[in-house]
Amino acid sequence: MSNRNELIDELLYYGEKTGLVDPLDRTYTLNRILEVMGLDAYEAPETEPKGLPLEDVLAGLMDDAYARGVLSENSVAYRDLFDTKLMAAMVPAPHQVIREFGALYQESPQKATDWYYQFSCDTDYIRRYRIARDMKWTADTEYGVLDVTINLSKPEKDPKAIAAAKNAPQSAYPKCQLCIENEGYAGRLNHPARQNHRIIPITIDGGNWGFQYSPYVYYNEHCIVFNSKHTPMKIDESAFRKLLDFIRQFPHYFVGSNADLPIVGGSILSHEHFQGGHYEFAMERAAIKQEIQIHGFEEIEAGIVNWPMSVIRIRHKDPEKLVGAASHILDTWRGYTDEGAFIYAETEGEPHNTITPIARMRDGKYEFDLVLRNNITTEEYPLGVYHPHQELHHIKKENIGLIEVMGLAVLPARLKGEMKRLAEYIVQKKDIRSDEELAKHADWVEQFLPKYGEIHADTVDQILQDEIGIVFKQVLEHAGVYKNTEAGLHDFLKFIDAL
C-alpha cells in the first residue's frame, strides 16, 4: 500500500517539477490520479519523493492497477491507453498551453517552440525513454554524411491486442491520426490515446492549421503542421505558398511535404500535412553541382543539387516570386514525358509525375528544394521503377517519403535483431543461407565481405552499419528519376530546357 502511495507521490512530484502541476492544484490533481487508479483513499507517504524516472513510476502504477483488476490486460496497447490517462490528470487545458505559447512567441518564435517541445516531452506525449531506444548512426558518402536510424520507439502490438482491435466496432472518429479531434481523445486499441496531447492553432495562408510534434521524433523537434480540415494531400501553388508562410512564421525551422501520389508519397495521403523541425539534413548541406537558369524567372537563383535524387534548388528573398517559379517547375514536370529517359507523365490516364518540396530560410532568403518524383511501375519493378529495387528490400522496401528524401533512413525495427544475429554468423563463418530469417541478406553479405578480409567480433557491427549506409545511398539513387551519370545529367538538363 505504501509503495502505491509513494508512486502516486512521485508522479505528483514529477508534475510539479516539470511545471505541469501548479502547487495550488496539487489536491485536485491527486484526486484525478486516484480516480484513474480506481482508488478512493490515499495516505501521504512519510518519505520525500526521490525523483524516480517517469517510466518507472508509470510502470509501477500500472502493475498495481493490473493486480487489482483496474487495468484489464497487461500488454503494451492496454498499458499505453492507461498511462496516457494517468498523465492527462496533470496536463493543463488547451487554452493555457496556447496562451503560454503565444506569449513566448511574442518574445521569439524559437523561445515558443523550445518551450512547446519540452512541454510535449514532459507530458509524455513524446515518450523520451522509447525514443532513446532507437539505433542511430551516420554514413559517409560522396553526397555527404547521411543519417541512419532503426526505429524502435513505435510499440509493436501483441497478437491479443491486434485481435481485440479487429473485433472492436469500427469508428470514423477521429477520421485519422492527424485530425484536430485527436486532442484529448481517450484512444482505443486501434487508435492511440491523446489525452496528454495539446495542439497549437496557427494560421497558414489564411487557413486554420494545427502545429504539433510527432510522438516518434525521427529527428530534433520533428513537427507536424496539418490542415484543421480532413482534406487530401495536394502539391500545387497553394502548397508552396503555405510552406513559405510557415517558414515566415518559424524561420528557424525547415518544413516540407510528402508528394501527393502513392509509392512516392508518405503513409497518410488522406490528410493535408507538412513535416518540419529544427534539424539540418544532409540534403541541406549538399552543394549545387550545376547552376541553371529558369526561363521567365531569371532573377531566381537556381541549380541542380549534388544529391542521389533529382533536386532543383531555387532561392529568392521574395516568397511570391519563389512560389511562381516552383509552380512553373511543378506544372511543367506534371506534363513532362521523355521516353528515352523512361519518364512518362501518365500511362492509361494515371498521372506519374509530382514533386516532394522542402522549404527553409537561409541567409535571409527563402529557399526551396524541389525533388522530382515519378511513381511508374513495370512488370520488372512492380513496386516502382523509382523506388528501392528488389535487391535492396532486405534492408528497405517501404516508400521513400520526405524524411528519407532529405537523407535520413528510417529503417524497420526487425533489423536490430537481424543484424545482431548476422554479425554472429559472419564472425563464426556460418552459412547465412541456412537460416530462414537471415537468408535474404546472403547475397548482400557475399558482395561486401571480400572488401574486409578477416572480420572479428569487435569490428563486425561497424562494418554492418557502414554497409547499411551504402544500401541507403543506393535506395536514394534508385528513387532518383535522373541518375548521377553523364547521361542522367544530360536528360536532367533536357527537362530544364523544357522550362
Side-chain angles (χ1 to χ4, degrees), residues 65-78:
Y66 178 65
R68 292 181 295 108
V70 176
L71 174 59
S72 60
E73 295 282 351
N74 203 24
S75 68
V76 172
Y78 287 88

Side-chain angles (χ1 to χ4, degrees), residues 145-426:
V145 179
L146 303 180
D147 294 304
V148 184
T149 176
I150 295 178
N151 184 258
L152 303 166
S153 54
K154 272 191 184 178
E156 298 204 12
K157 285 186 181 159
D158 62 292
K160 208 169 178 182
I162 291 168
K166 201 175 175 183
N167 297 328
Q170 289 304 301
S171 168
Y173 180 90
K175 286 196 178 84
C176 77
Q177 290 189 26
L178 289 178
C179 283
I180 211 131
E181 290 80 12
N182 282 280
E183 185 177 45
Y185 186 61
R188 48 185 196 267
L189 285 173
N190 58 0
H191 193 103
R194 291 288 181 249
Q195 289 126 306
N196 56 348
H197 178 38
R198 299 294 178 263
I199 295 166
I200 304 297
I202 58 174
T203 303
I204 294 191
D205 195 33
N208 295 326
W209 283 58
F211 171 67
Q212 66 182 40
Y213 289 103
S214 163
Y216 305 114
V217 198
Y218 292 141
Y219 51 84
N220 186 46
E221 292 175 45
H222 176 181
C223 71
I224 299 171
V225 191
F226 59 96
N227 197 318
S228 63
K229 296 190 184 102
H230 184 79
T231 186
M233 297 282 287
K234 186 157 177 57
I235 302 297
D236 57 9
E237 183 179 334
S238 155
F240 295 137
R241 192 170 280 115
K242 289 166 188 165
L243 289 166
L244 293 187
D245 195 32
F246 178 81
I247 292 297
R248 177 186 63 77
Q249 296 175 67
F250 299 94
H252 59 299
Y253 272 18
F254 81 89
V255 69
S257 175
N258 267 306
D260 53 357
L261 293 177
I263 297 175
V264 295
S267 54
I268 302 179
L269 292 176
S270 61
H271 194 131
E272 185 181 23
H273 70 285
F274 307 139
Q275 294 180 79
H278 202 184
Y279 190 70
E280 185 186 70
F281 284 87
M283 178 192 264
E284 184 178 340
R285 296 189 294 267
I288 296 291
K289 70 175 176 183
Q290 177 139 353
E291 290 187 5
I292 57 171
Q293 262 205 348
I294 300 166
H295 182 66
F297 298 90
E298 286 76 11
E299 74 274 34
I300 303 270
E301 290 174 52
I304 294 171
V305 180
N306 182 34
W307 194 244
M309 295 181 71
S310 309
V311 187
I312 299 170
R313 180 171 293 161
I314 55 175
R315 304 181 70 211
H316 202 275
K317 60 181 185 297
D318 182 345
E320 273 308 304
K321 285 184 175 166
L322 210 58
V323 166
S327 302
H328 174 61
I329 292 167
L330 173 68
D331 292 344
T332 308
W333 179 244
R334 288 254 195 228
Y336 186 76
T337 292
D338 178 354
E339 292 184 9
F342 205 79
I343 290 162
Y344 294 88
E346 55 91 26
T347 53
E348 296 172 10
E350 185 195 338
H352 296 304
N353 290 349
T354 185
I355 276 176
T356 301
I358 298 107
R360 64 183 76 89
M361 183 76 82
R362 197 192 316 233
D363 303 329
K365 290 182 178 175
Y366 291 96
E367 183 172 283
F368 266 133
D369 279 349
L370 304 173
V371 189
L372 306 180
R373 310 298 302 273
N374 178 291
N375 75 346
I376 196 166
T377 59
T378 61
E379 277 186 26
E380 190 183 357
Y381 300 114
L383 295 182
V385 173
Y386 305 108
H387 177 86
H389 293 171
Q390 285 89 322
E391 67 269 21
L392 306 182
H393 287 182
H394 65 105
I395 300 292
K396 175 80 176 173
K397 74 182 285 190
E398 297 80 7
N399 289 358
I400 303 307
L402 172 69
I403 294 169
E404 282 93 359
V405 162
M406 294 185 291
L408 192 160
V410 180
L411 301 178
R414 65 174 169 83
L415 283 175
K416 184 187 180 184
E418 288 176 18
M419 289 307 120
K420 189 169 187 261
R421 295 186 59 235
L422 197 57
E424 291 167 14
Y425 269 62
I426 290 170

Side-chain angles (χ1 to χ4, degrees), residues 21-96:
V21 177
D22 189 290
L24 295 172
D25 295 333
R26 182 184 168 91
T27 303
Y28 167 79
T29 307
L30 166 63
N31 285 325
R32 291 189 65 201
I33 292 168
L34 294 179
E35 182 186 351
V36 175
M37 289 294 293
L39 297 167
D40 52 17
Y42 166 82
E43 203 173 292
E46 291 172 14
T47 54
E48 289 293 311
K50 301 183 184 77
L52 296 174
L54 178 64
E55 183 181 19
D56 296 348
V57 174
L58 292 173
L61 288 170
M62 286 188 287
D63 290 346
D64 176 85
Y66 178 65
R68 292 181 295 108
V70 176
L71 174 59
S72 60
E73 295 282 351
N74 203 24
S75 68
V76 172
Y78 287 88
R79 286 171 77 97
D80 279 3
L81 292 171
F82 193 85
D83 69 2
T84 304
K85 205 173 185 180
L86 273 173
M87 289 303 298
M90 303 193 296
V91 180
H95 75 273
Q96 292 171 268

Side-chain angles (χ1 to χ4, degrees), residues 6-22 26 29 33 49-58 61 83 86-92 117-129 196:
E6 283 168 13
L7 288 169
I8 290 170
D9 198 45
E10 286 283 352
L11 189 59
L12 282 165
Y13 174 71
Y14 172 88
E16 289 183 336
K17 186 180 68 174
T18 54
L20 293 175
V21 177
D22 189 290
R26 182 184 168 91
T29 307
I33 292 168
K50 301 183 184 77
L52 296 174
L54 178 64
E55 183 181 19
D56 296 348
V57 174
L58 292 173
L61 288 170
D83 69 2
L86 273 173
M87 289 303 298
M90 303 193 296
V91 180
Y117 184 72
Q118 184 64 45
F119 171 83
S120 299
C121 292
D122 290 343
T123 62
D124 208 35
Y125 163 72
I126 295 170
R127 295 171 184 260
R128 282 172 284 205
Y129 42 88
N196 56 348

